[in-house]
């Protein structure tokens, strides 16, 4: 069957998306590794959380030079992953390539470069010189390093990469199918900033778009709303699913969160405003037993009281609590 | 004077760009620091290179959630900066926030995380535990760390950040005005991947563009060709200026490099193809004394011969040589 441009004019359903767009080449390999990871933790009776993190790109060219991106350093996801590990979860950390990662996030090359806190202890013989950590940085590094080594030694953290929104969509579906064996013990923490728009492969130009021909016009299609099949098909309504809404206009947060819950039927939307997201978020969830009623709960920290406190600590604590209740409401499938 | 949308329909000249778009808030502060850096090295009789590196963004919203970006990790710029330091240059490293930086580039959190080569030497008393570098990583880290500390102690590396193409355009003009006192001793190594298109402030939407209203249409204006005023006005034809061309269609490289030299009148265009750029580049420059004639020189490395060799070492060596000749052709202003 040949496809022509008009095929792609209308909005994509999840089905038509996967039927017309190509999976990333590493998909099979990635899925196999996730399967091994999940099997190990199912056998150990451990809960597993999928944390998605960072922005997705929308390439404008097949040989990509330019792309649309979503603002996200990946702080929320990387920080939360550490607290999920602390709470005893096995963590699949599915993140945008080069976005922040658990543990190494404390040592950004721009704001806190590790080279600055290493010292060379001189010796007569240069080749035997020692490298030491400065006094000031030793204790915090020891804490991070200990947690990092313990997560890796115990095999509790599995990391996956995506770059484009297409990578993300294929990975999310495949990983959710692997997590289905966990039933209610799977938690989804969908913190990635996923593009609402994309450029179908069939509309992309092969080479770098040339300038010098006037202004640039881009027309993009809507990304299908994959929360719908994720909730009702891929996870069969068993998993505990948390999605995020980021807005810059705070008055839109609650209405848009309620709308998402009504449409997709999942458990929690965490709303955050671009400007206050480091200090507060709002949990919106369906009111138990009441149709079209919602419960809103603020989670806030006070940075003037404790500079080292991170809002993700409280977000994760609240979710671990709710997830436990969710697991207890019905037997694991 | 009020501005309406039609004012922005035509192509921007550099003049109209700076007259209608706003400087970044940190500009004055950044320029003051560059001035101090330049003054110190002018007095010491040192050559100064401005290395630009990484991609620029084009925000689609004033409260930015989405942006257009140019593919660039910043490898070329960060690597070259190290070789310029080795060659005795003072380096202004003007780079995209979070792109690779000299020295720390060797320790990407994704591909070579430093936490992996630190070991905890256990002690009875946890608080006095030592952190050691593994045997395998000690020698290379010592080499990087020594070069890093020596550049910083001698004050030879000054780092500046940009994010948007607007930040970049304002910074480049301001920095070039500070470098003018160096006359022919200033070298420009413009390796940043700068957007050809932008969205004037006057056309941006205030808040996050809402999805659910069909497809996304973006129309962007052309970024003015600022190499022209950079060469003839801001640097008064004195500085040695190297620009880069990245193409995905190799047949376009040389014609586009020649076109740029004919238009802007600078010294070298370094052409690189997206797929082979780690191993080879082509230098295109005007033929001395011959109008509309150009000399092309390949710079190539053979990775099968030496895995640790970087093409930037040879690029920088060639440029240092050409820059020395440039300085000698006429007295410093």
């Amino acid at each position: 069957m040949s496809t022509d441009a008009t095929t792609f004019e209308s909005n994509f359903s999840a089905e038509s998306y996967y039927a017309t767009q190509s999976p990333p080449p590493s998909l099979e390999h990635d899925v196999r590794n996730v399967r091994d990871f999940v099997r190990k933790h199912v056998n150990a009776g451990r809960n597993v959380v999928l944390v998605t993190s960072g922005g997705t790109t929308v390439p404008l060219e097949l040989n990509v030079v330019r792309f649309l991106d979503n603002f996200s350093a990946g702080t929320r996801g990387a920080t939360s992953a550490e607290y999920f590990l602390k709470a005893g979860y096995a963590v699949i950390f599915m993140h945008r390539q080069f976005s922040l990662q658990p543990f190494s996030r404390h040592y950004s090359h721009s704001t806190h470069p590790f080279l600055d806190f290493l010292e060379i202890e001189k010796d007569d013989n240069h080749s035997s010189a020692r490298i030491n950590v400065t006094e000031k940085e030793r204790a915090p590094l020891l804490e991070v390093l200990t947690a990092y080594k313990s997560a890796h030694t115990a095999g509790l953290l599995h990391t996956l990469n995506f770059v484009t929104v297409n990578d993300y969509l294929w990975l999310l579906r495949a990983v959710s199918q692997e997590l289905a064996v966990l039933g209610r013990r799977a938690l989804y923490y969908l913190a990635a900033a996923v593009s609402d728009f994309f450029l179908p492969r069939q509309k992309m130009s092969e080479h770098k778009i040339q300038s010098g021909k006037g202004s640039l016009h881009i027309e993009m299609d809507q990304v299908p709303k994959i929360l719908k099949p994720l909730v009702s098909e891929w996870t069969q309504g068993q998993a505990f699913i948390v999605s995020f809404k980021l807005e810059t206009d705070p008055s839109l947060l609650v209405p848009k969160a309620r709308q998402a819950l009504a449409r997709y039927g999942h458990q929690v939307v965490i709303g955050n405003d671009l400007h206050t997201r480091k200090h507060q978020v709002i949990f919106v969830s369906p009111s138990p037993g009441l149709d079209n009623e919602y419960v809103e709960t603020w989670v806030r920290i006070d940075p003037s009281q404790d500079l080292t406190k991170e809002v993700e600590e409280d977000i994760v604590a609240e979710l671990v609590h709710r997830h436990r209740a969710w697991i207890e409401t019905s037997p694991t499938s």
Side-chain angles (χ1 to χ4, degrees), chain A residues 12-15 17-18 169 172-173 176-177 188 224-238 241 263-265:
Chain A
F12 279 74
S13 65
E15 264 183 8
Y17 184 94
Y18 292 107
L169 291 171
L172 181 63
R173 186 174 75 160
S176 72
Q177 286 158 350
Y188 286 72
K225 303 296 181 191
I226 45 84
L227 259 179
K228 185 84 191 164
L230 176 71
V231 172
S232 52
E233 295 166 36
W234 309 340
T235 65
Q236 296 143 21
Q238 294 292 302
I241 296 179
R263 268 192 202 158
Y264 311 125

PDB file of all heavy atoms in Angstrom, chain A residues 12-15 17-18 169 172-173 176-177 188 224-238 241 263-265:
ATOM      1  N   PHE A  12      -3.987  11.432  14.460  1.00  0.00           N
ATOM      2  CA  PHE A  12      -3.597  10.042  14.579  1.00  0.00           C
ATOM      3  C   PHE A  12      -4.259   9.408  15.795  1.00  0.00           C
ATOM      4  O   PHE A  12      -4.245   9.978  16.874  1.00  0.00           O
ATOM      5  CB  PHE A  12      -2.083   9.938  14.775  1.00  0.00           C
ATOM      6  CG  PHE A  12      -1.301  10.033  13.507  1.00  0.00           C
ATOM      7  CD1 PHE A  12      -1.152  11.251  12.862  1.00  0.00           C
ATOM      8  CD2 PHE A  12      -0.714   8.912  12.961  1.00  0.00           C
ATOM      9  CE1 PHE A  12      -0.424  11.334  11.698  1.00  0.00           C
ATOM     10  CE2 PHE A  12       0.018   8.997  11.792  1.00  0.00           C
ATOM     11  CZ  PHE A  12       0.162  10.215  11.153  1.00  0.00           C
ATOM     12  N   SER A  13      -4.774   8.197  15.632  1.00  0.00           N
ATOM     13  CA  SER A  13      -5.104   7.387  16.798  1.00  0.00           C
ATOM     14  C   SER A  13      -3.820   6.661  17.175  1.00  0.00           C
ATOM     15  O   SER A  13      -2.881   6.592  16.379  1.00  0.00           O
ATOM     16  CB  SER A  13      -6.179   6.371  16.442  1.00  0.00           C
ATOM     17  OG  SER A  13      -5.662   5.448  15.499  1.00  0.00           O
ATOM     18  N   ALA A  14      -3.785   6.103  18.391  1.00  0.00           N
ATOM     19  CA  ALA A  14      -2.603   5.336  18.778  1.00  0.00           C
ATOM     20  C   ALA A  14      -2.375   4.216  17.763  1.00  0.00           C
ATOM     21  O   ALA A  14      -1.249   3.983  17.312  1.00  0.00           O
ATOM     22  CB  ALA A  14      -2.775   4.770  20.182  1.00  0.00           C
ATOM     23  N   GLU A  15      -3.456   3.556  17.379  1.00  0.00           N
ATOM     24  CA  GLU A  15      -3.333   2.457  16.404  1.00  0.00           C
ATOM     25  C   GLU A  15      -2.714   2.889  15.086  1.00  0.00           C
ATOM     26  O   GLU A  15      -1.815   2.245  14.563  1.00  0.00           O
ATOM     27  CB  GLU A  15      -4.712   1.855  16.117  1.00  0.00           C
ATOM     28  CG  GLU A  15      -4.992   0.644  16.945  1.00  0.00           C
ATOM     29  CD  GLU A  15      -6.337   0.020  16.581  1.00  0.00           C
ATOM     30  OE1 GLU A  15      -6.962   0.444  15.584  1.00  0.00           O
ATOM     31  OE2 GLU A  15      -6.750  -0.890  17.318  1.00  0.00           O
ATOM     32  N   TYR A  17      -0.959   5.489  14.563  1.00  0.00           N
ATOM     33  CA  TYR A  17       0.420   5.917  14.791  1.00  0.00           C
ATOM     34  C   TYR A  17       1.387   4.736  14.656  1.00  0.00           C
ATOM     35  O   TYR A  17       2.321   4.764  13.856  1.00  0.00           O
ATOM     36  CB  TYR A  17       0.596   6.572  16.170  1.00  0.00           C
ATOM     37  CG  TYR A  17       1.999   7.104  16.348  1.00  0.00           C
ATOM     38  CD1 TYR A  17       2.307   8.428  16.049  1.00  0.00           C
ATOM     39  CD2 TYR A  17       3.045   6.278  16.751  1.00  0.00           C
ATOM     40  CE1 TYR A  17       3.606   8.908  16.155  1.00  0.00           C
ATOM     41  CE2 TYR A  17       4.341   6.741  16.855  1.00  0.00           C
ATOM     42  CZ  TYR A  17       4.625   8.058  16.554  1.00  0.00           C
ATOM     43  OH  TYR A  17       5.905   8.522  16.634  1.00  0.00           O
ATOM     44  N   TYR A  18       1.119   3.688  15.437  1.00  0.00           N
ATOM     45  CA  TYR A  18       2.040   2.548  15.429  1.00  0.00           C
ATOM     46  C   TYR A  18       2.014   1.799  14.091  1.00  0.00           C
ATOM     47  O   TYR A  18       2.975   1.129  13.723  1.00  0.00           O
ATOM     48  CB  TYR A  18       1.745   1.597  16.594  1.00  0.00           C
ATOM     49  CG  TYR A  18       2.065   2.203  17.949  1.00  0.00           C
ATOM     50  CD1 TYR A  18       1.060   2.600  18.818  1.00  0.00           C
ATOM     51  CD2 TYR A  18       3.389   2.394  18.344  1.00  0.00           C
ATOM     52  CE1 TYR A  18       1.362   3.173  20.062  1.00  0.00           C
ATOM     53  CE2 TYR A  18       3.704   2.964  19.574  1.00  0.00           C
ATOM     54  CZ  TYR A  18       2.682   3.352  20.428  1.00  0.00           C
ATOM     55  OH  TYR A  18       2.983   3.912  21.634  1.00  0.00           O
ATOM     56  N   LEU A 169       7.378   6.876  22.342  1.00  0.00           N
ATOM     57  CA  LEU A 169       6.074   6.210  22.186  1.00  0.00           C
ATOM     58  C   LEU A 169       6.231   4.700  22.004  1.00  0.00           C
ATOM     59  O   LEU A 169       5.477   3.907  22.572  1.00  0.00           O
ATOM     60  CB  LEU A 169       5.312   6.817  21.000  1.00  0.00           C
ATOM     61  CG  LEU A 169       4.829   8.258  21.215  1.00  0.00           C
ATOM     62  CD1 LEU A 169       4.290   8.857  19.914  1.00  0.00           C
ATOM     63  CD2 LEU A 169       3.773   8.346  22.315  1.00  0.00           C
ATOM     64  N   LEU A 172       7.539   3.209  25.457  1.00  0.00           N
ATOM     65  CA  LEU A 172       6.526   3.188  26.516  1.00  0.00           C
ATOM     66  C   LEU A 172       5.574   2.013  26.316  1.00  0.00           C
ATOM     67  O   LEU A 172       5.258   1.280  27.253  1.00  0.00           O
ATOM     68  CB  LEU A 172       5.744   4.506  26.548  1.00  0.00           C
ATOM     69  CG  LEU A 172       4.674   4.566  27.645  1.00  0.00           C
ATOM     70  CD1 LEU A 172       5.306   4.469  29.041  1.00  0.00           C
ATOM     71  CD2 LEU A 172       3.844   5.843  27.533  1.00  0.00           C
ATOM     72  N   ARG A 173       5.126   1.809  25.076  1.00  0.00           N
ATOM     73  CA  ARG A 173       4.206   0.704  24.826  1.00  0.00           C
ATOM     74  C   ARG A 173       4.868  -0.641  25.129  1.00  0.00           C
ATOM     75  O   ARG A 173       4.295  -1.493  25.813  1.00  0.00           O
ATOM     76  CB  ARG A 173       3.697   0.724  23.378  1.00  0.00           C
ATOM     77  CG  ARG A 173       2.631  -0.338  23.155  1.00  0.00           C
ATOM     78  CD  ARG A 173       1.997  -0.267  21.783  1.00  0.00           C
ATOM     79  NE  ARG A 173       2.883  -0.774  20.745  1.00  0.00           N
ATOM     80  CZ  ARG A 173       2.486  -1.181  19.536  1.00  0.00           C
ATOM     81  NH1 ARG A 173       1.184  -1.109  19.219  1.00  0.00           N
ATOM     82  NH2 ARG A 173       3.333  -1.607  18.639  1.00  0.00           N
ATOM     83  N   SER A 176       5.468  -1.166  28.892  1.00  0.00           N
ATOM     84  CA  SER A 176       4.223  -1.412  29.631  1.00  0.00           C
ATOM     85  C   SER A 176       3.752  -2.853  29.431  1.00  0.00           C
ATOM     86  O   SER A 176       3.178  -3.457  30.338  1.00  0.00           O
ATOM     87  CB  SER A 176       3.140  -0.412  29.206  1.00  0.00           C
ATOM     88  OG  SER A 176       2.684  -0.719  27.906  1.00  0.00           O
ATOM     89  N   GLN A 177       4.014  -3.390  28.252  1.00  0.00           N
ATOM     90  CA  GLN A 177       3.631  -4.785  28.020  1.00  0.00           C
ATOM     91  C   GLN A 177       4.466  -5.733  28.881  1.00  0.00           C
ATOM     92  O   GLN A 177       3.970  -6.743  29.373  1.00  0.00           O
ATOM     93  CB  GLN A 177       3.719  -5.106  26.516  1.00  0.00           C
ATOM     94  CG  GLN A 177       2.548  -4.441  25.772  1.00  0.00           C
ATOM     95  CD  GLN A 177       2.777  -4.232  24.284  1.00  0.00           C
ATOM     96  OE1 GLN A 177       3.876  -4.402  23.779  1.00  0.00           O
ATOM     97  NE2 GLN A 177       1.721  -3.842  23.570  1.00  0.00           N
ATOM     98  N   TYR A 188       3.470   3.687  37.498  1.00  0.00           N
ATOM     99  CA  TYR A 188       3.953   4.502  36.381  1.00  0.00           C
ATOM    100  C   TYR A 188       4.070   5.943  36.854  1.00  0.00           C
ATOM    101  O   TYR A 188       3.089   6.500  37.346  1.00  0.00           O
ATOM    102  CB  TYR A 188       2.962   4.444  35.200  1.00  0.00           C
ATOM    103  CG  TYR A 188       2.993   3.145  34.458  1.00  0.00           C
ATOM    104  CD1 TYR A 188       2.476   1.984  35.030  1.00  0.00           C
ATOM    105  CD2 TYR A 188       3.543   3.070  33.179  1.00  0.00           C
ATOM    106  CE1 TYR A 188       2.505   0.783  34.336  1.00  0.00           C
ATOM    107  CE2 TYR A 188       3.572   1.876  32.483  1.00  0.00           C
ATOM    108  CZ  TYR A 188       3.060   0.734  33.067  1.00  0.00           C
ATOM    109  OH  TYR A 188       3.085  -0.452  32.395  1.00  0.00           O
ATOM    110  N   PRO A 224      -0.832  11.123  19.236  1.00  0.00           N
ATOM    111  CA  PRO A 224      -2.026  10.479  19.798  1.00  0.00           C
ATOM    112  C   PRO A 224      -1.950  10.464  21.327  1.00  0.00           C
ATOM    113  O   PRO A 224      -0.870  10.444  21.908  1.00  0.00           O
ATOM    114  CB  PRO A 224      -1.950   9.048  19.241  1.00  0.00           C
ATOM    115  CG  PRO A 224      -0.523   8.839  18.861  1.00  0.00           C
ATOM    116  CD  PRO A 224      -0.010  10.190  18.453  1.00  0.00           C
ATOM    117  N   LYS A 225      -3.097  10.482  21.959  1.00  0.00           N
ATOM    118  CA  LYS A 225      -3.165  10.478  23.421  1.00  0.00           C
ATOM    119  C   LYS A 225      -2.975   9.044  23.902  1.00  0.00           C
ATOM    120  O   LYS A 225      -3.943   8.283  23.999  1.00  0.00           O
ATOM    121  CB  LYS A 225      -4.513  11.026  23.884  1.00  0.00           C
ATOM    122  CG  LYS A 225      -4.807  12.431  23.361  1.00  0.00           C
ATOM    123  CD  LYS A 225      -3.804  13.444  23.911  1.00  0.00           C
ATOM    124  CE  LYS A 225      -4.093  14.870  23.425  1.00  0.00           C
ATOM    125  NZ  LYS A 225      -2.986  15.790  23.728  1.00  0.00           N
ATOM    126  N   ILE A 226      -1.753   8.641  24.168  1.00  0.00           N
ATOM    127  CA  ILE A 226      -1.492   7.223  24.453  1.00  0.00           C
ATOM    128  C   ILE A 226      -1.816   6.833  25.900  1.00  0.00           C
ATOM    129  O   ILE A 226      -1.752   5.653  26.235  1.00  0.00           O
ATOM    130  CB  ILE A 226      -0.073   6.767  24.075  1.00  0.00           C
ATOM    131  CG1 ILE A 226       0.958   7.757  24.526  1.00  0.00           C
ATOM    132  CG2 ILE A 226       0.068   6.526  22.598  1.00  0.00           C
ATOM    133  CD1 ILE A 226       1.362   7.587  25.924  1.00  0.00           C
ATOM    134  N   LEU A 227      -2.165   7.829  26.742  1.00  0.00           N
ATOM    135  CA  LEU A 227      -2.581   7.450  28.102  1.00  0.00           C
ATOM    136  C   LEU A 227      -3.813   6.555  28.056  1.00  0.00           C
ATOM    137  O   LEU A 227      -3.980   5.662  28.893  1.00  0.00           O
ATOM    138  CB  LEU A 227      -2.877   8.696  28.939  1.00  0.00           C
ATOM    139  CG  LEU A 227      -1.791   9.134  29.913  1.00  0.00           C
ATOM    140  CD1 LEU A 227      -2.213  10.404  30.645  1.00  0.00           C
ATOM    141  CD2 LEU A 227      -1.468   8.031  30.915  1.00  0.00           C
ATOM    142  N   LYS A 228      -4.682   6.798  27.089  1.00  0.00           N
ATOM    143  CA  LYS A 228      -5.906   5.999  26.954  1.00  0.00           C
ATOM    144  C   LYS A 228      -5.603   4.496  26.776  1.00  0.00           C
ATOM    145  O   LYS A 228      -5.995   3.691  27.619  1.00  0.00           O
ATOM    146  CB  LYS A 228      -6.738   6.560  25.786  1.00  0.00           C
ATOM    147  CG  LYS A 228      -8.090   5.923  25.595  1.00  0.00           C
ATOM    148  CD  LYS A 228      -9.130   6.549  26.506  1.00  0.00           C
ATOM    149  CE  LYS A 228     -10.411   5.717  26.501  1.00  0.00           C
ATOM    150  NZ  LYS A 228     -11.290   6.072  27.631  1.00  0.00           N
ATOM    151  N   PRO A 229      -4.884   4.110  25.711  1.00  0.00           N
ATOM    152  CA  PRO A 229      -4.556   2.670  25.601  1.00  0.00           C
ATOM    153  C   PRO A 229      -3.633   2.177  26.714  1.00  0.00           C
ATOM    154  O   PRO A 229      -3.716   1.012  27.106  1.00  0.00           O
ATOM    155  CB  PRO A 229      -3.874   2.555  24.231  1.00  0.00           C
ATOM    156  CG  PRO A 229      -3.442   3.931  23.874  1.00  0.00           C
ATOM    157  CD  PRO A 229      -4.434   4.861  24.532  1.00  0.00           C
ATOM    158  N   LEU A 230      -2.766   3.054  27.254  1.00  0.00           N
ATOM    159  CA  LEU A 230      -1.880   2.623  28.345  1.00  0.00           C
ATOM    160  C   LEU A 230      -2.715   2.141  29.535  1.00  0.00           C
ATOM    161  O   LEU A 230      -2.472   1.072  30.097  1.00  0.00           O
ATOM    162  CB  LEU A 230      -0.960   3.775  28.783  1.00  0.00           C
ATOM    163  CG  LEU A 230      -0.060   3.457  29.988  1.00  0.00           C
ATOM    164  CD1 LEU A 230       1.043   2.470  29.623  1.00  0.00           C
ATOM    165  CD2 LEU A 230       0.586   4.728  30.575  1.00  0.00           C
ATOM    166  N   VAL A 231      -3.717   2.942  29.913  1.00  0.00           N
ATOM    167  CA  VAL A 231      -4.546   2.631  31.076  1.00  0.00           C
ATOM    168  C   VAL A 231      -5.439   1.415  30.804  1.00  0.00           C
ATOM    169  O   VAL A 231      -5.465   0.458  31.576  1.00  0.00           O
ATOM    170  CB  VAL A 231      -5.422   3.849  31.459  1.00  0.00           C
ATOM    171  CG1 VAL A 231      -6.428   3.484  32.553  1.00  0.00           C
ATOM    172  CG2 VAL A 231      -4.545   5.017  31.890  1.00  0.00           C
ATOM    173  N   SER A 232      -6.151   1.444  29.672  1.00  0.00           N
ATOM    174  CA  SER A 232      -7.203   0.437  29.510  1.00  0.00           C
ATOM    175  C   SER A 232      -6.744  -0.833  28.802  1.00  0.00           C
ATOM    176  O   SER A 232      -7.269  -1.910  29.067  1.00  0.00           O
ATOM    177  CB  SER A 232      -8.402   1.049  28.779  1.00  0.00           C
ATOM    178  OG  SER A 232      -7.977   1.678  27.596  1.00  0.00           O
ATOM    179  N   GLU A 233      -5.743  -0.722  27.922  1.00  0.00           N
ATOM    180  CA  GLU A 233      -5.308  -1.922  27.194  1.00  0.00           C
ATOM    181  C   GLU A 233      -3.978  -2.478  27.684  1.00  0.00           C
ATOM    182  O   GLU A 233      -3.896  -3.604  28.166  1.00  0.00           O
ATOM    183  CB  GLU A 233      -5.179  -1.625  25.699  1.00  0.00           C
ATOM    184  CG  GLU A 233      -6.515  -1.270  25.028  1.00  0.00           C
ATOM    185  CD  GLU A 233      -6.289  -0.672  23.654  1.00  0.00           C
ATOM    186  OE1 GLU A 233      -5.342  -1.109  22.948  1.00  0.00           O
ATOM    187  OE2 GLU A 233      -7.027   0.254  23.271  1.00  0.00           O
ATOM    188  N   TRP A 234      -2.917  -1.653  27.570  1.00  0.00           N
ATOM    189  CA  TRP A 234      -1.570  -2.193  27.814  1.00  0.00           C
ATOM    190  C   TRP A 234      -1.392  -2.658  29.257  1.00  0.00           C
ATOM    191  O   TRP A 234      -0.659  -3.611  29.511  1.00  0.00           O
ATOM    192  CB  TRP A 234      -0.493  -1.173  27.430  1.00  0.00           C
ATOM    193  CG  TRP A 234      -0.658  -0.607  26.049  1.00  0.00           C
ATOM    194  CD1 TRP A 234      -1.376  -1.137  25.008  1.00  0.00           C
ATOM    195  CD2 TRP A 234      -0.110   0.616  25.564  1.00  0.00           C
ATOM    196  NE1 TRP A 234      -1.301  -0.314  23.908  1.00  0.00           N
ATOM    197  CE2 TRP A 234      -0.525   0.767  24.224  1.00  0.00           C
ATOM    198  CE3 TRP A 234       0.704   1.603  26.115  1.00  0.00           C
ATOM    199  CZ2 TRP A 234      -0.157   1.864  23.446  1.00  0.00           C
ATOM    200  CZ3 TRP A 234       1.076   2.693  25.352  1.00  0.00           C
ATOM    201  CH2 TRP A 234       0.645   2.815  24.021  1.00  0.00           C
ATOM    202  N   THR A 235      -1.993  -1.939  30.206  1.00  0.00           N
ATOM    203  CA  THR A 235      -1.841  -2.337  31.615  1.00  0.00           C
ATOM    204  C   THR A 235      -3.123  -2.983  32.146  1.00  0.00           C
ATOM    205  O   THR A 235      -3.221  -3.298  33.329  1.00  0.00           O
ATOM    206  CB  THR A 235      -1.501  -1.119  32.498  1.00  0.00           C
ATOM    207  OG1 THR A 235      -2.624  -0.223  32.469  1.00  0.00           O
ATOM    208  CG2 THR A 235      -0.267  -0.391  31.997  1.00  0.00           C
ATOM    209  N   GLN A 236      -4.102  -3.122  31.299  1.00  0.00           N
ATOM    210  CA  GLN A 236      -5.375  -3.781  31.658  1.00  0.00           C
ATOM    211  C   GLN A 236      -6.004  -3.215  32.932  1.00  0.00           C
ATOM    212  O   GLN A 236      -6.595  -3.942  33.730  1.00  0.00           O
ATOM    213  CB  GLN A 236      -5.159  -5.290  31.789  1.00  0.00           C
ATOM    214  CG  GLN A 236      -4.756  -5.925  30.460  1.00  0.00           C
ATOM    215  CD  GLN A 236      -3.739  -7.045  30.623  1.00  0.00           C
ATOM    216  OE1 GLN A 236      -3.605  -7.628  31.690  1.00  0.00           O
ATOM    217  NE2 GLN A 236      -3.008  -7.350  29.568  1.00  0.00           N
ATOM    218  N   GLY A 237      -5.820  -1.900  33.139  1.00  0.00           N
ATOM    219  CA  GLY A 237      -6.449  -1.254  34.296  1.00  0.00           C
ATOM    220  C   GLY A 237      -5.878  -1.656  35.639  1.00  0.00           C
ATOM    221  O   GLY A 237      -6.406  -1.280  36.685  1.00  0.00           O
ATOM    222  N   GLN A 238      -4.760  -2.410  35.641  1.00  0.00           N
ATOM    223  CA  GLN A 238      -4.208  -2.915  36.905  1.00  0.00           C
ATOM    224  C   GLN A 238      -3.164  -1.982  37.523  1.00  0.00           C
ATOM    225  O   GLN A 238      -3.100  -1.845  38.734  1.00  0.00           O
ATOM    226  CB  GLN A 238      -3.540  -4.282  36.651  1.00  0.00           C
ATOM    227  CG  GLN A 238      -4.515  -5.367  36.250  1.00  0.00           C
ATOM    228  CD  GLN A 238      -5.441  -5.721  37.401  1.00  0.00           C
ATOM    229  OE1 GLN A 238      -5.003  -6.105  38.464  1.00  0.00           O
ATOM    230  NE2 GLN A 238      -6.744  -5.536  37.184  1.00  0.00           N
ATOM    231  N   ILE A 241      -1.220   4.524  37.887  1.00  0.00           N
ATOM    232  CA  ILE A 241      -0.625   5.407  36.879  1.00  0.00           C
ATOM    233  C   ILE A 241      -0.710   6.879  37.279  1.00  0.00           C
ATOM    234  O   ILE A 241      -1.788   7.397  37.569  1.00  0.00           O
ATOM    235  CB  ILE A 241      -1.292   5.175  35.504  1.00  0.00           C
ATOM    236  CG1 ILE A 241      -0.979   3.743  35.048  1.00  0.00           C
ATOM    237  CG2 ILE A 241      -0.799   6.198  34.475  1.00  0.00           C
ATOM    238  CD1 ILE A 241      -1.593   3.347  33.727  1.00  0.00           C
ATOM    239  N   ARG A 263     -10.868  11.686  30.998  1.00  0.00           N
ATOM    240  CA  ARG A 263     -10.638  11.067  29.691  1.00  0.00           C
ATOM    241  C   ARG A 263      -9.960   9.714  29.765  1.00  0.00           C
ATOM    242  O   ARG A 263     -10.284   8.798  29.026  1.00  0.00           O
ATOM    243  CB  ARG A 263      -9.712  11.967  28.864  1.00  0.00           C
ATOM    244  CG  ARG A 263     -10.477  12.921  28.010  1.00  0.00           C
ATOM    245  CD  ARG A 263      -9.529  13.577  27.015  1.00  0.00           C
ATOM    246  NE  ARG A 263     -10.134  14.823  26.588  1.00  0.00           N
ATOM    247  CZ  ARG A 263      -9.478  15.845  26.078  1.00  0.00           C
ATOM    248  NH1 ARG A 263      -8.158  15.775  25.963  1.00  0.00           N
ATOM    249  NH2 ARG A 263     -10.097  16.920  25.700  1.00  0.00           N
ATOM    250  N   TYR A 264      -8.938   9.620  30.614  1.00  0.00           N
ATOM    251  CA  TYR A 264      -8.088   8.431  30.552  1.00  0.00           C
ATOM    252  C   TYR A 264      -8.351   7.441  31.672  1.00  0.00           C
ATOM    253  O   TYR A 264      -7.963   6.290  31.583  1.00  0.00           O
ATOM    254  CB  TYR A 264      -6.605   8.837  30.522  1.00  0.00           C
ATOM    255  CG  TYR A 264      -6.325   9.909  29.496  1.00  0.00           C
ATOM    256  CD1 TYR A 264      -5.710  11.105  29.849  1.00  0.00           C
ATOM    257  CD2 TYR A 264      -6.728   9.735  28.165  1.00  0.00           C
ATOM    258  CE1 TYR A 264      -5.482  12.102  28.910  1.00  0.00           C
ATOM    259  CE2 TYR A 264      -6.510  10.726  27.221  1.00  0.00           C
ATOM    260  CZ  TYR A 264      -5.892  11.912  27.602  1.00  0.00           C
ATOM    261  OH  TYR A 264      -5.681  12.890  26.683  1.00  0.00           O
ATOM    262  N   GLY A 265      -8.977   7.895  32.761  1.00  0.00           N
ATOM    263  CA  GLY A 265      -9.361   6.979  33.828  1.00  0.00           C
ATOM    264  C   GLY A 265      -8.211   6.452  34.664  1.00  0.00           C
ATOM    265  O   GLY A 265      -8.284   5.341  35.196  1.00  0.00           O
TER     266      GLY A 265
END
